[in-house]
């Protein structure tokens, strides 16, 4: 697929001055160099490369185990010493005045069934973390494990020091390396099933009393194709599985990319409800063949559905809720009161996950009250209904002031809980104590969801897109992160200060010496790009943008510009070639001011997977959209805190 490069100038393509190390050609060469260091040759099996590296690592660990006197040296020769710099946590910006300190994207929560002080979380790319004081402090577990993308956790209810962690994330995340197991509270780990499920994403784990394990697996990203998030599909690993020997062997009950499931453990034979990505929802009575759940939309219906999240009432297993996004535009809820025999659409549901239901969508019944239902999604984040079984249930945005969520979540920045929720967990024996995992880490409620408290102190799960180290002070660092904006570390060991909300972006060291800020930023808010820099005014913008209909993935580019500019570019499918166009730059920090800049577009094939942004679609869709622009300065702009945007 082609990659789009834009070169903007005062009506003509600008020439790079001889020897100019900050000109457009130097930027292009630097970018391509960066990509080549990280891109494998076209056609190479990335899963195989990772597997080979892990096999080598496991060989070294085994050698160290067999030679205790030499073991530390063997590993020291292989692994450098690291010091944590954070953020753990990240203090919010003044753009989100009600937010507490945040961490990164969490996908799973597991609570100890007997000791309420103990809990575990799984991070999208930060591994497993444990707290022994109800989330007041955290300790990382298993940093030396073969994968740190963890989207599923479960404790054995009969032996809660036995933990299962499912690696891989099907939610725009990396594929995993199988199932991890610890029998000592997370101190040591094994892979009981070996490489079974390696290359896929384990989406959920459920363990019954007696030790039976239920597990689902879907596809995980392998870092190729559009956005570098094309999925690795290994049909032999996908599906719904069961194990009765501690996870050593598994039997497959259903195939396909299973993203969620529920098990009615009161029924014999067991009744399993599950969702297959891009297909629909299914019922499987153990020992029989699966069938589609009647009344739910499917991928072939109008409107169509991609992913479905399910919730089975623990106190009344006749009740089953299903939450989903329709046509990728709006949320919908369906309710079954007859064990999945029929479903009816819920009237006037909140648009809790909107156009992002494929990314953020979680639904859960209260453990003891079947009339109380919780939803988690984008924008206003967390919702609660206390009459979920009524003909027209009412929902309240419990993570927003006064429970109010404006149309299109226009007041999202007032959130009490970070947008984009992914998991709920209720404290065993104390169902009014609820934990929720979001793109901003973990929150806890002690009153059934009416109020929430962040639990992110020491939880270092932020996902960086890029960082910049102050050339004059290596302890002074800037960075941009997934859904946690841009931030600065200065003066504190692991706590960072947020500067701008939304999705962060890459930072680079300023090309000018003696500036107030040693680093400048390129950041995105999914549909547009904001660039900030200090005086003196720079001449070069090097931006990335994508269609407003697409989720934007960020690659590290260099940037140097004056003021605070917003650039919005609509990506269109173009064949390889040369084009002329006009780009409009708008300054958000002053009275509306815009400038139409003539640009030259050069569309070409990218190296390997280097270009990561652009529009999806058929034909010659764009794989990347990069802007090198010579732009006029609008004015001084605002330092650091430019206008934010919602992820």
């Amino acid at each position: 697929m082609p990659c789009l490069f834009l070169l903007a100038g005062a009506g003509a393509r600008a020439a790079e001055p001889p020897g100019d190390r900050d000109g457009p050609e130097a930027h292009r060469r630097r970018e391509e160099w960066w990509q080549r260091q990280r891109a494998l040759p076209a056609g190479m099996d990335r899963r195989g490369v990772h597997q080979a590296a892990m096999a080598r690592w496991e060989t070294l660990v085994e050698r160290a185990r067999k030679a205790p006197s030499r073991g530390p040296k063997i590993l020291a020769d292989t692994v450098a010493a690291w010091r944590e710099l954070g953020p753990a946590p990240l203090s919010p910006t003044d753009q989100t005045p009600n937010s507490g300190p945040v961490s990164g994207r969490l996908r799973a929560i597991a609570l100890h069934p007997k000791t309420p002080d103990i809990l575990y979380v799984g991070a999208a790319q930060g591994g497993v973390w444990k707290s022994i004081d109800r989330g007041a402090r955290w300790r990382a577990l298993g940093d030396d494990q073969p994968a740190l993308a963890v989207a599923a956790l479960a404790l054995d209810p009969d032996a809660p020091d036995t933990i299962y962690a499912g690696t891989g994330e099907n939610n725009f995340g990396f594929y995993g390396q199988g199932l991890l197991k610890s029998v000592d509270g997370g101190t040591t780990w094994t892979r009981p099933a070996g490489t079974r499920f390696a290359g896929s994403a384990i989406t959920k784990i459920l363990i019954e009393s007696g030790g039976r394990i239920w597990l689902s697996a879907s596809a995980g990203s392998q870092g190729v194709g559009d956005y570098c998030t094309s999925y690795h599909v290994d049909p032999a690993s996908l599906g719904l599985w069961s194990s009765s020997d501690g996870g050593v062997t598994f039997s497959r009950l259903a195939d396909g990319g299973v993203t969620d499931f529920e098990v009615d453990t009161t029924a014999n034979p067991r009744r399993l409800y599950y969702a297959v990505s891009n297909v629909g929802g299914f019922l499987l009575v153990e020992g029989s063949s699966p069938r589609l759940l009647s009344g739910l939309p499917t991928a072939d219906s109008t409107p169509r559905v991609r992913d479905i999240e399910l919730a089975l009432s623990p106190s009344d297993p006749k009740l089953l809720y299903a939450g989903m996004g329709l046509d990728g535009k709006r949320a919908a809820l369906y309710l079954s009161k007859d064990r999945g025999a029929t479903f009816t659409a819920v009237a006037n549901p909140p648009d809790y996950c909107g156009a992002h239901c494929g990314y953020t969508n979680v639904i859960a019944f209260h453990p003891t009250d079947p009339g109380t239902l919780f939803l988690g999604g984008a924008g206003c984040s967390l919702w609660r209904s206390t009459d979920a079984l009524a003909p027209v249930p009412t929902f309240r945005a419990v993570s927003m002031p006064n429970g109010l969520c404006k149309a299109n979540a226009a007041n999202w920045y007032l959130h009490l809980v970070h947008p984009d929720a992914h998991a709920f967990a209720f404290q065993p024996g104390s169902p009014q104590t609820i934990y929720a995992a979001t793109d901003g880490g973990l929150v806890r409620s002690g009153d059934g969801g009416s109020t929430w408290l962040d639990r992110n102190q020491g939880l270092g799960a932020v996902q960086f897109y890029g960082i910049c180290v102050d050339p004059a002070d290596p302890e002074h660092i800037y960075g941009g992160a997934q859904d946690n904006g841009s931030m600065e570390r200065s003066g504190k060991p692991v706590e960072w200060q947020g500067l701008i909300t939304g999705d962060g972006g890459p930072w680079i060291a300023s090309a000018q010496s003696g500036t107030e800020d040693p680093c400048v930023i390129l950041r995105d808010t999914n549909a547009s790009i904001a660039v900030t820099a200090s005086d003196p005014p720079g001449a070069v913008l090097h931006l990335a943008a994508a269609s407003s209909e697409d989720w934007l993935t960020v690659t590290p580019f260099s940037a140097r510009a004056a003021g605070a500019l917003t650039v919005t570019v609509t990506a269109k499918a173009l064949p390889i070639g040369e084009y002329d166009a006009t780009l409009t730059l708008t300054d958000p920090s002053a009275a509306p001011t815009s400038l139409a800049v003539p640009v030259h577009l050069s569309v070409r094939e990218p190296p390997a997977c280097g270009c990561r942004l652009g529009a999806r679609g058929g034909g010659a869709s764009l794989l990347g959209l990069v802007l090198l622009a010579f732009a006029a300065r609008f004015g001084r702009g605002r330092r650091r805190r430019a206008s934010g945007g919602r992820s």
Side-chain angles (χ1 to χ4, degrees), residues 274-320:
Y274 66 96
V276 177
S277 181
N278 290 309
V279 180
F282 291 83
L283 166 65
L284 172 65
V285 178
E286 201 171 10
S288 63
S289 299
R291 66 168 178 82
L292 279 168
L293 288 168
S294 177
L296 288 185
T298 69
D300 296 324
S301 63
T302 302
R304 68 183 300 273
V305 65
R306 194 188 81 172
D307 293 326
I308 298 173
E309 290 292 310
L310 301 167
L312 183 69
S313 171
S315 59
D316 186 352
K318 298 190 304 297
L319 303 174
L320 184 69

Side-chain angles (χ1 to χ4, degrees), residues 457-476:
Q457 192 69 41
L459 183 56
V462 166
Q463 294 176 281
F464 277 107
Y465 287 128
I467 63 170
C468 171
V469 179
D470 186 339
D473 180 3
E475 298 294 324
H476 185 202

Side-chain angles (χ1 to χ4, degrees), residues 365-382:
F365 273 103
H366 187 279
T368 60
D369 178 6
T372 297
L373 184 77
F374 289 87
L375 308 174
C380 294
S381 197
L382 307 181

